[in-house]
Amino acid sequence: MVAGMSSWIALAVALVCGVLLLRLLMRPARRARFDRFWVDRVGRGSLHRARQVGHALRRLWHRRADRREAARAAEDVINRARRARPGVDKDGNVYTPHSFKGPRKPH
């Protein structure tokens, strides 16, 4: 019987969960030796790469929310710019205060 890819993935996840459960049940000294064993076998560079991958996955996860927040902020700025302030007339892209319309003092 040929196992599908999902069966292999499920088996790998079950193995990792079992190892992590056994690690949780170990005493601190034995757990430290266990951790040193894996760090020596896998290497510290792998842990650094794993952190980088984790950071990249978190950024990917938050990307949609960040874009939505940026779009909302941009829309707020655009709406504020479109609204005329009290005491100001807008003609195209030129804002003219009402105080400019009064008579000017001769010098």
Side-chain angles (χ1 to χ4, degrees):
M1 182 171 169
V2 177
M5 185 59 130
S6 60
S7 299
W8 287 107
I9 292 173
L11 179 65
V13 168
L15 282 173
V16 169
C17 288
V19 169
L20 290 175
L21 179 63
L22 288 175
R23 183 185 173 278
L24 283 175
L25 297 174
M26 292 179 189
R27 290 186 178 180
R30 188 170 178 104
R31 188 180 312 148
R33 274 190 289 143
F34 180 80
D35 291 344
R36 273 196 310 271
F37 171 81
W38 284 106
V39 167
D40 291 344
R41 293 293 182 270
V42 176
R44 294 188 190 279
S46 308
L47 296 175
H48 180 66
R49 282 189 298 277
R51 283 190 195 107
Q52 286 178 334
V53 168
H55 179 70
L57 289 174
R58 278 191 300 278
R59 290 304 313 146
L60 208 83
W61 180 262
H62 292 289
R63 177 185 248 168
R64 180 180 287 167
D66 290 345
R67 285 187 180 198
R68 190 172 37 235
E69 183 180 340
R72 190 177 315 123
E75 190 67 31
D76 289 344
V77 169
I78 290 169
N79 286 337
R80 270 199 326 262
R82 284 183 181 157
R83 278 182 277 161
R85 296 181 182 147
V88 176
D89 290 331
K90 182 179 176 189
D91 182 25
N93 63 347
V94 178
Y95 290 92
T96 308
H98 289 199
S99 62
F100 282 14
K101 295 184 180 183
R104 294 187 174 226
K105 291 183 184 178
H107 292 274

